[in-house]
Amino acid sequence: MSDIAEKQTAADLATVDLTAISQSVLASGPEIIIIIGACVALMLSLVPHPRQNQLLAGVSVFMILLAACMSYALSDFPQTAYAGMFVVDGFSTFFKVILYLGTTLTVLMSGNYRASNGLIKDDVFQGEYYALLLFALLGTMIMVSSTDLLLIYIGLELQALSIYVLTGFLKTDLRSNEASLKYIILGAFSSGIILYGMSLFYGLTGTTNLNDMAVALSTLDLSDPMLILATLFMLVGLLFKVGAVPFHMWVPDIYQGAPSPITAYMSVASKAAAFAVIMRIFMQDLSVLQPIWILNITGIAVLTMTLGSFVALAQKNIKRMLAYSSIAHAGFLMLGLVAGGRDGMASIMLYLLIYTFMTIGIFAVIILLNKGVSLGEPIEDFSGLAKTHPGLAFMSLIFLFSLAGIPPTGGFFAKFYVLTALIDTGHVILAVIAVLLSAVAAWFYIRIIMLMYVQPPAPVLTQAAEMQLTPSIRIVLLIATIGTLMTGVLPAWFLGFVADSIPLGLG
């Protein structure tokens, strides 16, 4: 009888294991689809085809849309997977929407950039480019769904390694090579800092799972020097990823040297994933640590907005200007962390969604102006755009207004909700500082608008026939424009969508 009981127990355990494995595979289905898409892109690059570039872009977009459909299907069934290391919930699904959107638009822009600048001259590298983009997407997807420090780190490194290579993908361009080298060195440094912070947390709590770690931290003294050190190390490494001051040194050079589609991708997808990790760790699971980091975040947010806004005024290259603009926006987003609670988190999430539309849009315009690797990047090259391409100038006007926070664009409401969250939590002085710095930042956007509508056309715009308005770039501009305007016209609807994605237990 004992043998029969043991066999029955073993069969039951096997059934349980098989069920758990099946559930985990299903929960990570979107990630598996992206892996398959990357492998297919590599294999298709080996097959000669007269329109291989369009084929690879189409396959990449199809796989992203397929993953998005599966994420939508799974969103109604919140679940954990892989022994609690991976989660499918409204929070992760919302950020995956941003990641899918940013990556899809990047893929569509890449074909136009390649046609203009000869981004990849050898056919053998076409598959690698799209595969690396998909692997970068995979890394960010893992980051936003992870509830374990080790899995977060794996996703972060997968995304970072892919971006390192894509940053230096212009093999014959010294700027691209230099940017990639700088990014690798500084990125490895920040990764080491994050990993050291994680190791300290493991030493203090005996686990890397965020839920178990929260239970263990509830019994610890927040004044413990090791706990303070672990929190600050983790925070510093993540703030490097979003380009916060004083960890921003890499942003201008990498933004300028990388191919413009990759710069756009870094601006939206990498930033969104990093903020998702920060919010999951410090605003959800380990919110007990807030007394340790709140003052640091407040000071860093103000410094980040100040430096980004004022230094951007002196830039003459549009990509460097947008790099410092990105730094300033990161500082504004960090104010949502200071506000805390559901309102603070909702304001960050809405801001990141709107930021995706307006940033991708302005980079699409930059790509259209590119002739050669760098021509079209000087801000003066926007002169007279309204006279040569009035439609494109109007779209640029919308994106720049939104980046400046001018109504009725989405950028205005993105900042408005952050400021509202600050005021509701009593941070009135911070809100006033943010408004003043936003007024400073508005000038470098308005300067470009004045060039477009007041100055005579620049030489780069005189040959209108050279501007390749392909169907893919038209789709990017259309989606970005509609998204920027709709988030401004119907902000309450989008805010409701965001609110539904926030965990119910959050205060």
Side-chain angles (χ1 to χ4, degrees):
M1 292 294 294
S2 61
D3 292 341
I4 296 175
E6 289 178 0
K7 290 180 180 179
Q8 183 63 38
T9 301
D12 292 341
L13 289 173
T15 302
V16 171
D17 289 343
L18 184 60
T19 302
I21 292 173
S22 300
Q23 290 176 344
S24 296
V25 171
L26 179 63
S28 59
E31 286 76 12
I32 293 173
I33 290 173
I34 296 300
I35 293 174
I36 294 172
C39 295
V40 169
L42 285 173
M43 290 187 292
L44 286 178
S45 67
L46 302 176
V47 181
H49 192 278
R51 303 184 66 181
Q52 191 176 61
N53 180 35
Q54 291 88 338
L55 175 64
L56 290 168
V59 168
S60 300
V61 170
F62 174 77
M63 299 305 286
I64 294 172
L65 294 178
L66 188 62
C69 291
M70 189 165 188
S71 291
Y72 176 77
L74 292 172
S75 63
D76 292 332
F77 306 97
Q79 56 186 300
T80 58
Y82 299 105
M85 298 177 67
F86 189 91
V87 65
V88 176
D89 57 4
F91 182 81
S92 62
T93 301
F94 175 84
F95 275 97
K96 285 179 183 178
V97 169
I98 295 179
L99 299 175
Y100 295 143
L101 177 65
T103 309
T104 299
L105 297 181
T106 299
V107 169
L108 294 174
M109 286 194 299
S110 297
N112 196 275
Y113 185 75
R114 291 155 60 98
S116 298
N117 300 322
L119 172 60
I120 305 166
K121 296 180 180 179
D122 300 321
D123 290 345
V124 70
F125 294 118
Q126 291 185 359
E128 293 178 13
Y129 176 79
Y130 291 107
L132 285 168
L133 262 180
L134 292 176
F135 278 126
L137 170 62
L138 173 65
T140 55
M141 291 170 65
I142 293 174
M143 289 171 65
V144 302
S145 282
S146 299
T147 54
D148 188 277
L149 294 182
L150 290 181
L151 194 57
I152 289 173
Y153 184 76
I154 290 172
L156 189 151
E157 286 301 291
L158 176 59
Q159 177 264 343
L161 290 172
S162 301
I163 296 299
Y164 295 157
V165 179
L166 289 170
T167 299
F169 221 77
L170 298 175
K171 297 184 296 181
T172 59
D173 181 27
L174 293 179
R175 292 190 316 167
S176 181
N177 303 155
E178 179 186 352
S180 181
L181 181 60
K182 288 180 178 179
Y183 200 13
I184 290 171
I185 294 172
L186 294 175
F189 180 70
S190 70
S191 296
I193 292 176
I194 292 176
L195 195 59
Y196 187 61
M198 290 179 176
S199 67
L200 291 177
F201 271 119
Y202 177 74
L204 289 167
T205 62
T207 181
T208 56
N209 184 275
L210 292 176
N211 296 321
D212 296 339
M213 195 177 294
V215 175
L217 288 176
S218 64
T219 63
L220 296 179
D221 184 2
L222 293 183
S223 63
D224 186 340
M226 291 301 291
L227 182 58
I228 295 174
L229 196 62
T231 303
L232 294 181
F233 267 89
M234 181 95 73
L235 194 60
V236 165
L238 291 172
L239 289 179
F240 173 92
K241 300 300 181 182
V242 302
V245 173
F247 321 109
H248 67 286
M249 305 81 67
W250 62 277
V251 178
D253 290 339
I254 277 66
Y255 272 45
Q256 183 179 5
S260 293
I262 303 307
T263 305
Y265 179 85
M266 286 190 289
S267 298
V268 296
S270 298
K271 189 186 297 293
F275 268 106
V277 171
I278 291 173
M279 285 191 287
R280 189 179 288 281
I281 293 177
F282 294 106
M283 294 183 74
Q284 293 186 44
D285 298 323
L286 306 186
S287 58
V288 68
L289 299 174
Q290 186 185 33
I292 296 177
W293 56 261
I294 186 68
L295 289 178
N296 297 284
I297 282 290
T298 303
I300 291 173
V302 173
L303 286 174
T304 301
M305 287 188 297
T306 303
L307 183 138
S309 298
F310 280 98
V311 178
L313 293 172
Q315 302 306 310
K316 297 183 178 179
N317 182 287
I318 185 70
K319 290 174 71 175
R320 289 188 74 88
M321 187 274 282
L322 290 174
Y324 284 104
S325 165
S326 174
I327 293 171
H329 282 287
F332 215 103
L333 282 160
M334 290 164 62
L335 294 178
L337 299 175
V338 177
R342 293 183 63 87
D343 290 342
M345 181 174 286
S347 66
I348 295 174
M349 295 167 70
L350 179 65
Y351 199 119
L352 288 167
L353 176 62
I354 296 171
Y355 185 76
T356 298
F357 287 118
M358 57 191 183
T359 301
I360 290 288
I362 195 62
F363 272 102
V365 175
I366 293 172
I367 289 172
L368 280 172
L369 295 181
N370 277 148
K371 304 299 175 188
V373 173
S374 60
L375 192 60
E377 289 183 11
I379 292 176
E380 289 74 16
D381 286 350
F382 278 77
S383 298
L385 184 63
K387 296 179 177 63
T388 57
H389 297 83
L392 189 61
F394 181 71
M395 291 182 180
S396 301
L397 175 72
I398 293 172
F399 303 139
L400 293 169
F401 268 8
S402 187
L403 286 166
I406 298 174
T409 60
F412 169 78
F413 289 99
K415 294 187 175 183
F416 174 79
Y417 284 121
V418 173
L419 295 173
T420 301
L422 280 175
I423 294 171
D424 289 344
T425 52
H427 298 91
V428 179
I429 295 177
L430 269 181
V432 172
I433 293 173
V435 170
L436 294 175
L437 290 174
S438 294
V440 173
W443 167 245
F444 50 77
Y445 301 119
I446 294 174
R447 179 177 56 162
I448 299 175
I449 295 172
M450 291 175 61
L451 288 173
M452 291 192 301
Y453 283 90
V454 176
Q455 297 296 321
V460 72
L461 298 176
T462 55
Q463 297 178 342
E466 294 184 8
M467 188 172 290
Q468 302 182 27
L469 280 167
T470 60
S472 61
I473 202 74
R474 290 176 187 270
I475 292 173
V476 173
L477 288 169
L478 182 62
I479 293 174
T481 303
I482 293 175
T484 303
L485 290 175
M486 290 300 294
T487 50
V489 174
L490 300 172
W493 185 89
F494 287 93
L495 188 63
F497 172 59
V498 169
D500 292 339
S501 304
I502 299 176
L504 295 177
L506 192 69

